[in-house]
Amino acid sequence: MQTLDKYLELFQQNKKQIGQDDRPYMRTLRESAIESFRQSGFPHRKEEAYKYIHLEPVFDGELSFDFQPRNIHYDDADIFRCDVPMLDSIVLTVLNGFYHHPGEEALTTLDNGVIYGGLKAAMTQYPELVEKHLGRNAPTDGEPFVALNTAFSQDGVFLFVPRGVSMEKPVQIINLLLSDKNQMVQHRNLFVLESQATAQVIICDHTLSPHLFLTNSVSEVYTGENADLDLLRLQNEHNNSCQVTNTWIRQEQDSRCQHGTITLHGGIVRNNLRIKLEGEGAESSALGLFLCDKMQHVDSYTVIDHSQPRCISNQYYKGVMDDSSTGAFNGKIHVHRDAQKTEAFQTNNNILLTDTAKMHTKPRLEIYADDVKCSHGATVGQLDEEALFYLQSRGIPKDESRLMLMDAFTWDVISKIKQASLQERITDLVSKRLRGELSRCNNCAMHCED
């Protein structure tokens, strides 16, 4: 049986359980999504967007699927410590793709109108609000992994910030994978900021057992007029994992959004990012930093869509590859005919620490307006030998000199993280990772092999 048929059959066999609490619009959305997936199938290397990665063999592996939360008994204090424990944040946990809230309400509604908690609960308690946005920002046609997620996803995190409200604390979403068997999970997040709302969201991805995990997640984001969102993802999974993230952001007039992805660990990682600047004067910033070694592969695909005048976007991606690891950056800026006065800039810089590490980079501009400021550029190279020699001539050992140069290289991205305490902690994590002191077991008490 082909991989495509395997998932089509899986959906038909389990669709009653998958959508047992669905309202009509959700049932329609799932049926439309599985049809889109049937038509597109899994992408192959001949497709430009997936030229450097072939994911179908991973999806064809021996995996188990859960369509309701498993009753797993664990004490997270015993097996897990957060990478950024100093944050004074609202912590939401997703365990194997389902919102985890033992002994607590699945959804919290504050006096100021802010709503956060499980997406499944939000579908029941606020159906009109969810229906207005779910599936509206992340289309399924031509997007097989979004389509697959839309057909199968049952839960995740929902965040709603009403007009004019600024959240005092960041929301920290901790995605945990813990199982006694190889498993696939597909959770979905929906973040909605109405006009003039402000929020900060931090997503942390962790594996807590050594089994093979395949994650296909979707995060849909809507920022209303003059809203401000800071969204940061910290990936730290083991070498036996494969993570596909799909983040779709739609911005209205004069809104601001910074999206960042820091990849510390992961066997195979594919991060898809789509930002649609649909309101005049919107500003967007996309940051990426990945560190990989051994046989790891980190693949970043971005599309920044300028469709209105006077919008600004900045992309800044960096990678450090060691051993026989590989990386890829495929980024596109699309400026439509009416998007005059656009300012769009894209930079991708990479360091190879060995002769066997490889990096593929492809920055792209597609411009149909004539009054714009746009640029793109990419570099792949080694550490600066002259700088290395200078540091050694000052009595600094070679290994320490290399680390100093790599710290300086990564700081260009880390320094753009807005919250000081988070910036400080990520600086420490990256430094540990570069020194080889940070494994995926760093904050896990199970100490499984990589």
Side-chain angles (χ1 to χ4, degrees):
M1 180 184 294
Q2 293 186 349
T3 313
L4 172 65
D5 296 331
K6 170 183 169 181
Y7 283 89
L8 294 176
E9 185 175 306
L10 185 70
F11 178 78
Q12 293 302 327
Q13 291 176 345
N14 297 279
K15 67 179 182 181
K16 286 186 178 178
Q17 187 176 13
I18 293 170
Q20 60 182 345
D21 299 321
D22 281 353
R23 290 168 65 90
Y25 87 93
M26 194 62 213
R27 286 196 289 272
T28 303
L29 196 60
R30 289 192 198 281
E31 292 293 342
S32 175
I34 201 66
E35 177 58 23
S36 295
F37 179 67
R38 187 189 67 78
Q39 293 182 9
S40 62
F42 283 95
H44 46 74
R45 288 184 184 275
K46 292 183 179 179
E47 296 180 37
E48 191 62 36
Y50 290 89
K51 186 175 181 180
Y52 307 113
I53 191 168
H54 187 39
L55 291 165
E56 183 174 348
V58 184
F59 280 75
D60 195 31
E62 292 294 329
L63 299 163
S64 61
F65 307 87
D66 289 334
F67 300 114
Q68 60 181 6
R70 290 171 62 196
N71 192 17
I72 299 176
H73 296 287
Y74 77 99
D75 186 342
D76 55 359
D78 287 341
I79 65 171
F80 175 74
R81 293 185 298 278
C82 178
D83 278 335
V84 282
M86 80 296 292
L87 277 179
D88 182 17
S89 60
I90 299 168
V91 177
L92 308 177
T93 303
V94 176
L95 176 62
N96 295 339
F98 291 91
Y99 184 62
H100 190 60
H101 56 100
E104 299 178 358
E105 294 292 331
L107 208 60
T108 299
T109 303
L110 303 181
D111 293 340
N112 59 9
V114 171
I115 305 169
Y116 59 82
L119 178 60
K120 187 172 184 177
M123 289 178 180
T124 303
Q125 296 185 37
Y126 299 96
E128 291 80 12
L129 186 55
V130 174
E131 183 178 351
K132 184 179 178 181
H133 295 282
L134 189 66
R136 313 296 183 187
N137 306 307
T140 57
D141 289 343
E143 296 292 339
F145 296 109
V146 175
L148 193 63
N149 177 282
T150 304
F152 282 90
S153 62
Q154 298 173 272
D155 207 353
V157 168
F158 176 71
L159 172 65
F160 172 75
V161 187
R163 177 186 175 89
V165 174
S166 294
M167 292 193 69
E168 296 180 359
K169 293 182 179 181
V171 173
Q172 186 178 7
I173 301 168
I174 301 177
N175 294 318
L176 299 180
L177 296 173
L178 174 63
S179 179
D180 56 358
K181 54 188 178 182
N182 297 340
Q183 189 157 0
M184 180 179 181
V185 301
Q186 301 195 77
H187 50 275
R188 195 175 187 107
N189 301 320
L190 178 61
F191 309 141
V192 178
L193 276 68
E194 290 192 330
S195 60
Q196 301 176 42
T198 302
Q200 183 181 18
V201 178
I202 303 155
I203 302 175
C204 304
D205 301 312
H206 296 275
T207 44
L208 296 181
S209 57
H211 300 83
L212 188 154
F213 289 104
L214 171 58
T215 302
N216 177 39
S217 65
V218 171
S219 295
E220 279 188 89
V221 180
Y222 171 78
T223 58
E225 184 177 330
N226 203 28
D228 192 340
L229 175 66
D230 185 8
L231 174 59
L232 178 68
R233 181 168 219 128
L234 186 62
Q235 298 174 313
N236 191 13
E237 298 189 347
H238 60 50
N239 288 345
N240 202 25
S241 66
C242 176
Q243 187 175 20
V244 182
T245 71
N246 305 275
T247 304
W248 288 73
I249 300 171
R250 182 158 67 96
Q251 293 186 235
E252 299 288 3
Q253 183 174 347
D254 295 324
S255 62
R256 297 163 299 284
C257 180
Q258 175 165 296
H259 177 276
T261 304
I262 309 292
T263 307
L264 298 175
H265 262 289
I268 300 173
V269 179
R270 166 73 178 204
N271 292 317
N272 295 318
L273 173 64
R274 301 268 187 156
I275 299 176
K276 304 183 75 172
L277 301 169
E278 296 191 346
E280 185 172 348
E283 295 183 19
S284 179
S285 177
L287 309 175
L289 173 64
F290 69 89
L291 315 171
C292 56
D293 57 13
K294 300 179 182 176
M295 297 297 290
Q296 295 175 342
H297 177 82
V298 179
D299 194 304
S300 302
Y301 181 80
T302 69
V303 177
I304 312 296
D305 212 7
H306 287 256
S307 59
Q308 296 296 322
R310 294 196 311 104
C311 292
I312 300 173
S313 69
N314 288 282
Q315 292 180 78
Y316 208 39
Y317 277 71
K318 284 196 167 188
V320 178
M321 282 138 285
D322 201 353
D323 301 327
S324 297
S325 61
T326 54
F329 173 80
N330 189 344
K332 175 182 173 182
I333 297 171
H334 185 182
V335 181
H336 293 251
R337 187 180 302 277
D338 294 333
Q340 303 294 346
K341 305 294 183 184
T342 286
E343 295 183 26
F345 309 101
Q346 183 186 71
T347 303
N348 174 229
N349 301 127
N350 307 280
I351 287 181
L352 306 179
L353 299 178
T354 66
D355 293 337
T356 52
K358 293 181 180 178
M359 179 68 196
H360 307 278
T361 180
K362 190 174 183 180
R364 293 180 290 157
L365 288 174
E366 191 172 325
I367 302 173
Y368 298 96
D370 54 12
D371 185 9
V372 301
K373 294 180 182 177
C374 298
S375 69
H376 65 164
T379 62
V380 180
Q382 290 77 42
L383 287 174
D384 188 334
E385 289 295 334
E386 290 188 7
L388 195 61
F389 177 77
Y390 175 81
L391 291 173
Q392 289 179 265
S393 71
R394 292 293 186 263
I396 301 173
K398 185 176 181 179
D399 288 346
E400 192 64 28
S401 299
R402 284 167 53 89
L403 289 169
M404 289 176 68
L405 292 176
M406 287 191 288
D407 279 338
F409 179 76
T410 59
W411 176 248
D412 284 345
V413 174
I414 298 171
S415 62
K416 293 177 174 58
I417 295 172
K418 294 179 181 177
Q419 191 177 88
S421 60
L422 188 59
Q423 183 187 94
E424 181 180 349
R425 179 54 177 156
I426 289 180
T427 300
D428 181 52
L429 287 170
V430 169
S431 182
K432 282 185 175 181
R433 178 69 169 93
L434 292 173
R435 291 172 185 272
E437 298 171 0
L438 175 63
S439 72
R440 62 106 177 170
C441 296
N442 179 58
N443 284 332
C444 171
M446 301 186 71
H447 303 299
C448 312
E449 295 180 357
D450 279 347

